[in-house]
Amino acid sequence: MLIPCPWCGPRDEAEFHYGGQAHVAYPADPAALSDAEWARYLFFRDNPKGPFAERWSHAAGCRRWFNVVRDTATNEIHAVYRAGGQRPVSP
Amino acid sequence: MTRQPFRRDGHRGETLRFRFDGRDYEGYRGDTLAAALLANGVRAVATSVRLGRPRGVFAAWTEEPNALVQIEHPFPEPMLQATTVELYDGLVARGLPGKGRLSGEADPARHDGVYAHCDVLVVGAGPAGLSAALSAAGSGARVVLADDRPVPGGSLPDTAETVDGLPGAEWAAAALAELDGHPEVRVLARTGVLGYYDDNYLVAVERRGERASSRERLWRIRARRVVLATGAHERSVAFAGNDRPGVMLASAARAYVNRYGVLPGRRAVVFTANDSAYAAARDLAAAGVEVAAVVDVRRGGGRSWDGSEVLAGHLVTGVDGPDGVSSVTVSPDPGGGPAGGREIEADLLLVSGGWNPVVHLFGQAGGRLRYDERLGALLPAATRQAVEVAGAARGLSTLGRCLADGAAAGARAAEAAGFRAGRRPAARAEDVAAAPAEHVWLVPAADYRGHFVDLQRDVTVADVMRATGAGLRSVEHVKRYTTAGTAHDQGKTSGLLTSGVVAHLLGVDVAELGTTTFRAPYVPVSFATLAGRDRGALHDPVRVTPLHGWHVARGALFENIGQWKRPRYYPRAGEDMPTAVLRECAAVRRGAGAMDVSTLGKIDLQGPDAAELLDRLYTGMMSTLPVGAIRYGVMCRPDGTVFDDGTVTRLAQDRFLATTTTGNAAAVLDWMEEWLQTEWPSLRVYCTSVTEQWATVALAGPGSRAVLAGLAPGLAVDGASFPFMTWRDARVADIEARVCRISFSGELAYEINVSAWDGLALWEAVQGSGAVTPYGTETMHVLRAEKGYPIVGQDTDGTVTPADLGLGWALSGKKADYVGKRSHARPGDLRPDRKHLVGLLPDDPDRLLPEGAHLVATARLPEPPVPALGHVTSSYRSAALGRTFALALVSGGRERVGERLYVPVGAEQVPVTVTRHVLYDPEGARRDG
Ligand SMILES: [Zn+2]
């Protein structure tokens, strides 16, 4: 798979580190959450067959984290955008 | 006397001698081992893996399922196909009973790797591939043409067809010469593409031979466009005795006659459902093989055949001759199965059940396939790769069409890559019209135990029936139940046949069933080739400290911690490890010892928000640490489990140095970066690894203060001037140093940090003081364990919290949050039966418990399942305690202090007593000397 790093351009997947689902923010006030809400943050992630917004880090390159919308069935990459950015509207 | 009784008249070449199964033979250069064996009349080459049946050469190239051999000389190599081993002088080989044997010796050959990028990669140098490469090359595109055979032309030397008025092999050679003239074209012969991955990343193996500087090279190729011209494999039919030596694919027999000048038999029967086998029969007849009969499934037979008898609407129902075909039974099929039959004397049976386009690579890269009823084959359909499939690989069956198709595909690929293809006319060949093929998967019979579907796995129709009889409906399930298609030929000739037989048995269409998933590698690849130069010392980087040479010179034995080499202990003459470690431990507890701790990870954090970042990541409060002070810190994952521990040193208001465990340094830096970049981008902090910039010497023991005072006369070392958990800049042995008063042994101790360049000078000065014993990681482990200091990764796993380790004091109650804090309030983290770190004292003070051993409550093991209370995490002999001891994680362990538990070791229940995890100097009196 070629992953288009926003800083380095398309590079081989072996240079990257996978970071799981994107847009799962660390809760602003963990102490205010119930056990169930905290457990949801800790342990629950989506696992779709199809487009999935996920985090990648160019670990063996520029070492920057960024987000990718990748089709988990075909590895097609629909979008690449900065960490903390809004997920682009689906194509 | 002719030495090669089955060699066609007039075929010559350089004579090569070889040995097979203990007998000497001769062959010619250009032969494969299989061709040379057939030329010498060797029919049974190997025996089958499960049933031990004799097997002969069945195919002529990589699709061979039967003729597996072991090379014995020049270097033992297992599981090679006789049909792909190029004969060389002095080759020694033998047939295999299905399985090979790895050499016990290290392989002396070198293997190498190459990365390549190109505009167009053409896979296969047959008629379509050569045509594609020629039209792509004409555009100026960077072209790589990879082909697994030693000579170009694909099937052309097998079929001896004519292209542009030239014999096919000559046309192919001319095409190759033309390609070689293009500066941007690279031709890779003997290079099989075995993996096709996303975004046109392909992996190929180039066989360079024993005389080359490397035996094989692994090519990793990234191509903008790919043209797959991988051809087609003929397939067999499931009938009784179809595994006998002498049963051969019709196309393979044609290849042996035309390419190698070898007669695979004297008298042949041809069993076919299509016209291509007639061409094979014609070529065999021309070479002097008597064709006794053509048995054609089709009621109308094939195209006109002026040779022998054509038995249209007939089936082969039996083969006689256990060590090789001696006769073939043929029966008419009036519909509903064969009736009656007659025996035809023959030593060769050619089979053609149809053609399977080689769609393996296309499928590997996620391409979808569709079943074509007319062709009886799976053809490439949709894909998201930038790929063209050309020629027989997409179901074209005649030479002229393959040539034109390849040329068009090459031009399309070049243009898609941004080049303008020229108007080079495609090569031409005369196409002969063929009668439509029929698709027969199996010959009906009462007993299917001799109808082989997968020859290499010895899977018969009876085995497939057992699978479908057990209710399996998916070919993927049938594959796993029967193992059909899982051998090292990856079911090249058997995959679709299995689907066809399953479809027949279930009464459904093959199209409904499809076939199993194609996965790399297309052909087997050796681990040595995949490893390339990354073996031995180059397998993984070796990291050593600036003091490494000294350790080696003193005879230290090393242990690997991640990529680091760390001295484990320094044995003196006659000492074994326990003796040396007891001596080193005693030296530290009674006098002074020195250890190279340069491998500890060191991260320099700078910026106005550095303190805030550390407060969020460590469980303790770091922002209140005064400049000049040091604090122990634990980091947790959000789920509350321990991730790493170390010290944090405040160098300035906005600057800290954090240390990590040796093995976790990179992970901790990544961890900090991840939080900074993804969660807290507003924090202004830079994190920099400085692990290798510093050399660090731990000086420990009651005598360490005097040693330091001697080396650093300008440094006030008394306890009041230089208290525990502080640091001072000083000159030590006249070297600029940062001295930290921290201890991982419980003794008075210092860590002296200097520039890596000065590390050896410092170490030699410390050793030169006379009173210092060098000690290694094993001694360090014992000393820290006596104090109950856990080692992350040894005394912890992914389930252990700081509270479990007795580190509750390191958790800040004042901070609103730190990573992991919320989890520490979850019910699961508050359970009284959590496993706590405790000490264990075996009743027998000489008994050393095995690390990893489990703990149970009873002196006799109950019936399984046995409730385990925990396990031993660390176990040592202690000089200070005068006995053995261990650390363990034990359920509710802190409430069990004083309890008797048992450690099952083999058949024995070793009694132990639970203690607090701090076994030595629990009051901490020794820390100040
Ligand atoms: Zn990058």
Side-chain angles (χ1 to χ4, degrees), chain B residues 640-667:
Chain B
T641 59
V642 174
F643 169 52
D644 200 60
D645 71 343
T647 59
V648 174
T649 299
R650 190 159 205 167
L651 302 172
Q653 201 55 35
D654 60 354
R655 186 169 184 189
F656 294 82
L657 186 89
T659 65
T660 75
T661 56
T662 295
N664 248 356

PDB file of all heavy atoms in Angstrom, chain B residues 640-667:
ATOM      1  N   GLY B 640      -5.006   2.348  32.640  1.00  0.00           N
ATOM      2  CA  GLY B 640      -4.496   2.315  34.000  1.00  0.00           C
ATOM      3  C   GLY B 640      -3.339   1.358  34.225  1.00  0.00           C
ATOM      4  O   GLY B 640      -2.786   1.312  35.322  1.00  0.00           O
ATOM      5  N   THR B 641      -2.943   0.581  33.208  1.00  0.00           N
ATOM      6  CA  THR B 641      -1.838  -0.358  33.394  1.00  0.00           C
ATOM      7  C   THR B 641      -0.504   0.355  33.203  1.00  0.00           C
ATOM      8  O   THR B 641      -0.418   1.383  32.525  1.00  0.00           O
ATOM      9  CB  THR B 641      -1.942  -1.531  32.413  1.00  0.00           C
ATOM     10  OG1 THR B 641      -1.921  -1.021  31.070  1.00  0.00           O
ATOM     11  CG2 THR B 641      -3.239  -2.295  32.629  1.00  0.00           C
ATOM     12  N   VAL B 642       0.541  -0.229  33.808  1.00  0.00           N
ATOM     13  CA  VAL B 642       1.860   0.402  33.780  1.00  0.00           C
ATOM     14  C   VAL B 642       2.456   0.286  32.383  1.00  0.00           C
ATOM     15  O   VAL B 642       2.501  -0.784  31.800  1.00  0.00           O
ATOM     16  CB  VAL B 642       2.792  -0.274  34.806  1.00  0.00           C
ATOM     17  CG1 VAL B 642       4.214   0.272  34.671  1.00  0.00           C
ATOM     18  CG2 VAL B 642       2.274  -0.055  36.219  1.00  0.00           C
ATOM     19  N   PHE B 643       2.915   1.432  31.864  1.00  0.00           N
ATOM     20  CA  PHE B 643       3.544   1.461  30.547  1.00  0.00           C
ATOM     21  C   PHE B 643       5.058   1.518  30.678  1.00  0.00           C
ATOM     22  O   PHE B 643       5.783   0.783  30.029  1.00  0.00           O
ATOM     23  CB  PHE B 643       2.995   2.660  29.770  1.00  0.00           C
ATOM     24  CG  PHE B 643       3.724   2.979  28.507  1.00  0.00           C
ATOM     25  CD1 PHE B 643       3.957   1.998  27.553  1.00  0.00           C
ATOM     26  CD2 PHE B 643       4.179   4.271  28.254  1.00  0.00           C
ATOM     27  CE1 PHE B 643       4.628   2.300  26.374  1.00  0.00           C
ATOM     28  CE2 PHE B 643       4.846   4.570  27.071  1.00  0.00           C
ATOM     29  CZ  PHE B 643       5.068   3.590  26.139  1.00  0.00           C
ATOM     30  N   ASP B 644       5.551   2.399  31.553  1.00  0.00           N
ATOM     31  CA  ASP B 644       7.006   2.507  31.727  1.00  0.00           C
ATOM     32  C   ASP B 644       7.267   3.244  33.031  1.00  0.00           C
ATOM     33  O   ASP B 644       6.368   3.862  33.602  1.00  0.00           O
ATOM     34  CB  ASP B 644       7.649   3.254  30.555  1.00  0.00           C
ATOM     35  CG  ASP B 644       9.146   2.944  30.457  1.00  0.00           C
ATOM     36  OD1 ASP B 644       9.502   1.764  30.292  1.00  0.00           O
ATOM     37  OD2 ASP B 644       9.965   3.884  30.564  1.00  0.00           O
ATOM     38  N   ASP B 645       8.508   3.167  33.498  1.00  0.00           N
ATOM     39  CA  ASP B 645       8.889   3.974  34.652  1.00  0.00           C
ATOM     40  C   ASP B 645      10.297   4.492  34.460  1.00  0.00           C
ATOM     41  O   ASP B 645      11.013   4.075  33.553  1.00  0.00           O
ATOM     42  CB  ASP B 645       8.741   3.195  35.972  1.00  0.00           C
ATOM     43  CG  ASP B 645       9.795   2.113  36.137  1.00  0.00           C
ATOM     44  OD1 ASP B 645      10.445   1.724  35.129  1.00  0.00           O
ATOM     45  OD2 ASP B 645       9.972   1.631  37.268  1.00  0.00           O
ATOM     46  N   GLY B 646      10.659   5.450  35.287  1.00  0.00           N
ATOM     47  CA  GLY B 646      11.977   6.064  35.176  1.00  0.00           C
ATOM     48  C   GLY B 646      12.036   7.269  36.085  1.00  0.00           C
ATOM     49  O   GLY B 646      11.209   7.420  36.989  1.00  0.00           O
ATOM     50  N   THR B 647      13.020   8.108  35.835  1.00  0.00           N
ATOM     51  CA  THR B 647      13.154   9.317  36.657  1.00  0.00           C
ATOM     52  C   THR B 647      12.958  10.540  35.783  1.00  0.00           C
ATOM     53  O   THR B 647      13.188  10.505  34.585  1.00  0.00           O
ATOM     54  CB  THR B 647      14.538   9.379  37.312  1.00  0.00           C
ATOM     55  OG1 THR B 647      15.530   9.363  36.281  1.00  0.00           O
ATOM     56  CG2 THR B 647      14.754   8.208  38.258  1.00  0.00           C
ATOM     57  N   VAL B 648      12.538  11.617  36.458  1.00  0.00           N
ATOM     58  CA  VAL B 648      12.419  12.911  35.787  1.00  0.00           C
ATOM     59  C   VAL B 648      13.314  13.887  36.532  1.00  0.00           C
ATOM     60  O   VAL B 648      13.202  14.034  37.743  1.00  0.00           O
ATOM     61  CB  VAL B 648      10.957  13.400  35.792  1.00  0.00           C
ATOM     62  CG1 VAL B 648      10.871  14.822  35.230  1.00  0.00           C
ATOM     63  CG2 VAL B 648      10.082  12.450  34.991  1.00  0.00           C
ATOM     64  N   THR B 649      14.202  14.505  35.805  1.00  0.00           N
ATOM     65  CA  THR B 649      15.172  15.439  36.372  1.00  0.00           C
ATOM     66  C   THR B 649      14.831  16.835  35.866  1.00  0.00           C
ATOM     67  O   THR B 649      14.669  17.025  34.669  1.00  0.00           O
ATOM     68  CB  THR B 649      16.594  15.051  35.895  1.00  0.00           C
ATOM     69  OG1 THR B 649      16.881  13.736  36.365  1.00  0.00           O
ATOM     70  CG2 THR B 649      17.639  16.018  36.406  1.00  0.00           C
ATOM     71  N   ARG B 650      14.668  17.780  36.790  1.00  0.00           N
ATOM     72  CA  ARG B 650      14.378  19.139  36.315  1.00  0.00           C
ATOM     73  C   ARG B 650      15.684  19.891  36.156  1.00  0.00           C
ATOM     74  O   ARG B 650      16.400  20.162  37.117  1.00  0.00           O
ATOM     75  CB  ARG B 650      13.452  19.888  37.267  1.00  0.00           C
ATOM     76  CG  ARG B 650      12.950  21.201  36.639  1.00  0.00           C
ATOM     77  CD  ARG B 650      11.693  21.705  37.293  1.00  0.00           C
ATOM     78  NE  ARG B 650      10.915  22.547  36.384  1.00  0.00           N
ATOM     79  CZ  ARG B 650       9.673  22.911  36.615  1.00  0.00           C
ATOM     80  NH1 ARG B 650       9.051  22.495  37.708  1.00  0.00           N
ATOM     81  NH2 ARG B 650       9.021  23.676  35.760  1.00  0.00           N
ATOM     82  N   LEU B 651      15.985  20.249  34.898  1.00  0.00           N
ATOM     83  CA  LEU B 651      17.236  20.926  34.579  1.00  0.00           C
ATOM     84  C   LEU B 651      17.071  22.434  34.626  1.00  0.00           C
ATOM     85  O   LEU B 651      18.018  23.152  34.916  1.00  0.00           O
ATOM     86  CB  LEU B 651      17.711  20.506  33.183  1.00  0.00           C
ATOM     87  CG  LEU B 651      17.934  18.999  33.012  1.00  0.00           C
ATOM     88  CD1 LEU B 651      18.221  18.656  31.557  1.00  0.00           C
ATOM     89  CD2 LEU B 651      19.091  18.535  33.897  1.00  0.00           C
ATOM     90  N   ALA B 652      15.870  22.913  34.301  1.00  0.00           N
ATOM     91  CA  ALA B 652      15.574  24.343  34.318  1.00  0.00           C
ATOM     92  C   ALA B 652      14.066  24.465  34.407  1.00  0.00           C
ATOM     93  O   ALA B 652      13.352  23.464  34.339  1.00  0.00           O
ATOM     94  CB  ALA B 652      16.110  25.025  33.051  1.00  0.00           C
ATOM     95  N   GLN B 653      13.580  25.689  34.537  1.00  0.00           N
ATOM     96  CA  GLN B 653      12.149  25.879  34.653  1.00  0.00           C
ATOM     97  C   GLN B 653      11.411  25.229  33.476  1.00  0.00           C
ATOM     98  O   GLN B 653      10.358  24.637  33.651  1.00  0.00           O
ATOM     99  CB  GLN B 653      11.852  27.392  34.714  1.00  0.00           C
ATOM    100  CG  GLN B 653      10.507  27.740  35.332  1.00  0.00           C
ATOM    101  CD  GLN B 653      10.329  27.136  36.728  1.00  0.00           C
ATOM    102  OE1 GLN B 653      11.285  27.020  37.503  1.00  0.00           O
ATOM    103  NE2 GLN B 653       9.108  26.714  37.046  1.00  0.00           N
ATOM    104  N   ASP B 654      12.003  25.332  32.292  1.00  0.00           N
ATOM    105  CA  ASP B 654      11.329  24.839  31.082  1.00  0.00           C
ATOM    106  C   ASP B 654      12.083  23.667  30.453  1.00  0.00           C
ATOM    107  O   ASP B 654      12.009  23.450  29.258  1.00  0.00           O
ATOM    108  CB  ASP B 654      11.193  25.975  30.068  1.00  0.00           C
ATOM    109  CG  ASP B 654      12.546  26.546  29.666  1.00  0.00           C
ATOM    110  OD1 ASP B 654      13.575  26.131  30.272  1.00  0.00           O
ATOM    111  OD2 ASP B 654      12.591  27.398  28.762  1.00  0.00           O
ATOM    112  N   ARG B 655      12.855  22.933  31.275  1.00  0.00           N
ATOM    113  CA  ARG B 655      13.643  21.854  30.676  1.00  0.00           C
ATOM    114  C   ARG B 655      13.768  20.683  31.650  1.00  0.00           C
ATOM    115  O   ARG B 655      14.150  20.873  32.809  1.00  0.00           O
ATOM    116  CB  ARG B 655      15.024  22.355  30.301  1.00  0.00           C
ATOM    117  CG  ARG B 655      15.822  21.325  29.540  1.00  0.00           C
ATOM    118  CD  ARG B 655      17.083  21.932  28.955  1.00  0.00           C
ATOM    119  NE  ARG B 655      17.780  20.944  28.162  1.00  0.00           N
ATOM    120  CZ  ARG B 655      19.000  21.104  27.660  1.00  0.00           C
ATOM    121  NH1 ARG B 655      19.650  22.240  27.866  1.00  0.00           N
ATOM    122  NH2 ARG B 655      19.563  20.157  26.959  1.00  0.00           N
ATOM    123  N   PHE B 656      13.465  19.488  31.134  1.00  0.00           N
ATOM    124  CA  PHE B 656      13.523  18.260  31.941  1.00  0.00           C
ATOM    125  C   PHE B 656      14.295  17.188  31.175  1.00  0.00           C
ATOM    126  O   PHE B 656      14.356  17.217  29.951  1.00  0.00           O
ATOM    127  CB  PHE B 656      12.113  17.716  32.206  1.00  0.00           C
ATOM    128  CG  PHE B 656      11.250  18.603  33.065  1.00  0.00           C
ATOM    129  CD1 PHE B 656      10.575  19.698  32.507  1.00  0.00           C
ATOM    130  CD2 PHE B 656      11.101  18.341  34.415  1.00  0.00           C
ATOM    131  CE1 PHE B 656       9.773  20.497  33.291  1.00  0.00           C
ATOM    132  CE2 PHE B 656      10.289  19.154  35.206  1.00  0.00           C
ATOM    133  CZ  PHE B 656       9.623  20.234  34.645  1.00  0.00           C
ATOM    134  N   LEU B 657      14.832  16.249  31.920  1.00  0.00           N
ATOM    135  CA  LEU B 657      15.373  15.035  31.313  1.00  0.00           C
ATOM    136  C   LEU B 657      14.612  13.858  31.913  1.00  0.00           C
ATOM    137  O   LEU B 657      14.619  13.667  33.129  1.00  0.00           O
ATOM    138  CB  LEU B 657      16.868  14.878  31.602  1.00  0.00           C
ATOM    139  CG  LEU B 657      17.440  13.689  30.840  1.00  0.00           C
ATOM    140  CD1 LEU B 657      17.922  14.108  29.463  1.00  0.00           C
ATOM    141  CD2 LEU B 657      18.556  12.999  31.606  1.00  0.00           C
ATOM    142  N   ALA B 658      13.939  13.122  31.049  1.00  0.00           N
ATOM    143  CA  ALA B 658      13.203  11.942  31.510  1.00  0.00           C
ATOM    144  C   ALA B 658      13.978  10.699  31.103  1.00  0.00           C
ATOM    145  O   ALA B 658      14.444  10.603  29.962  1.00  0.00           O
ATOM    146  CB  ALA B 658      11.812  11.908  30.874  1.00  0.00           C
ATOM    147  N   THR B 659      14.157   9.751  32.035  1.00  0.00           N
ATOM    148  CA  THR B 659      14.789   8.488  31.654  1.00  0.00           C
ATOM    149  C   THR B 659      13.719   7.419  31.518  1.00  0.00           C
ATOM    150  O   THR B 659      12.655   7.486  32.146  1.00  0.00           O
ATOM    151  CB  THR B 659      15.832   8.022  32.680  1.00  0.00           C
ATOM    152  OG1 THR B 659      15.170   7.731  33.927  1.00  0.00           O
ATOM    153  CG2 THR B 659      16.892   9.078  32.915  1.00  0.00           C
ATOM    154  N   THR B 660      14.011   6.439  30.670  1.00  0.00           N
ATOM    155  CA  THR B 660      13.078   5.333  30.420  1.00  0.00           C
ATOM    156  C   THR B 660      13.818   4.027  30.627  1.00  0.00           C
ATOM    157  O   THR B 660      15.044   4.010  30.721  1.00  0.00           O
ATOM    158  CB  THR B 660      12.555   5.358  28.977  1.00  0.00           C
ATOM    159  OG1 THR B 660      13.603   4.900  28.101  1.00  0.00           O
ATOM    160  CG2 THR B 660      12.147   6.770  28.551  1.00  0.00           C
ATOM    161  N   THR B 661      13.065   2.931  30.663  1.00  0.00           N
ATOM    162  CA  THR B 661      13.723   1.631  30.681  1.00  0.00           C
ATOM    163  C   THR B 661      14.453   1.435  29.359  1.00  0.00           C
ATOM    164  O   THR B 661      14.112   2.045  28.345  1.00  0.00           O
ATOM    165  CB  THR B 661      12.700   0.510  30.864  1.00  0.00           C
ATOM    166  OG1 THR B 661      11.722   0.613  29.835  1.00  0.00           O
ATOM    167  CG2 THR B 661      11.993   0.616  32.203  1.00  0.00           C
ATOM    168  N   THR B 662      15.488   0.582  29.383  1.00  0.00           N
ATOM    169  CA  THR B 662      16.331   0.397  28.199  1.00  0.00           C
ATOM    170  C   THR B 662      15.515  -0.035  26.986  1.00  0.00           C
ATOM    171  O   THR B 662      15.693   0.473  25.889  1.00  0.00           O
ATOM    172  CB  THR B 662      17.417  -0.661  28.509  1.00  0.00           C
ATOM    173  OG1 THR B 662      18.261  -0.125  29.515  1.00  0.00           O
ATOM    174  CG2 THR B 662      18.229  -1.009  27.286  1.00  0.00           C
ATOM    175  N   GLY B 663      14.605  -0.967  27.186  1.00  0.00           N
ATOM    176  CA  GLY B 663      13.884  -1.530  26.050  1.00  0.00           C
ATOM    177  C   GLY B 663      12.763  -0.646  25.543  1.00  0.00           C
ATOM    178  O   GLY B 663      12.253  -0.856  24.447  1.00  0.00           O
ATOM    179  N   ASN B 664      12.360   0.355  26.333  1.00  0.00           N
ATOM    180  CA  ASN B 664      11.150   1.122  26.005  1.00  0.00           C
ATOM    181  C   ASN B 664      11.436   2.536  25.531  1.00  0.00           C
ATOM    182  O   ASN B 664      10.504   3.320  25.367  1.00  0.00           O
ATOM    183  CB  ASN B 664      10.263   1.209  27.259  1.00  0.00           C
ATOM    184  CG  ASN B 664       8.978   0.424  27.087  1.00  0.00           C
ATOM    185  OD1 ASN B 664       8.716  -0.112  26.015  1.00  0.00           O
ATOM    186  ND2 ASN B 664       8.173   0.365  28.122  1.00  0.00           N
ATOM    187  N   ALA B 665      12.723   2.869  25.325  1.00  0.00           N
ATOM    188  CA  ALA B 665      13.059   4.274  25.069  1.00  0.00           C
ATOM    189  C   ALA B 665      12.323   4.813  23.848  1.00  0.00           C
ATOM    190  O   ALA B 665      11.731   5.904  23.898  1.00  0.00           O
ATOM    191  CB  ALA B 665      14.571   4.411  24.879  1.00  0.00           C
ATOM    192  N   ALA B 666      12.336   4.060  22.765  1.00  0.00           N
ATOM    193  CA  ALA B 666      11.698   4.552  21.544  1.00  0.00           C
ATOM    194  C   ALA B 666      10.186   4.629  21.733  1.00  0.00           C
ATOM    195  O   ALA B 666       9.545   5.578  21.273  1.00  0.00           O
ATOM    196  CB  ALA B 666      12.039   3.635  20.366  1.00  0.00           C
ATOM    197  N   ALA B 667       9.631   3.645  22.442  1.00  0.00           N
ATOM    198  CA  ALA B 667       8.182   3.628  22.640  1.00  0.00           C
ATOM    199  C   ALA B 667       7.735   4.821  23.480  1.00  0.00           C
ATOM    200  O   ALA B 667       6.685   5.401  23.237  1.00  0.00           O
ATOM    201  CB  ALA B 667       7.769   2.312  23.301  1.00  0.00           C
TER     202      ALA B 667
END
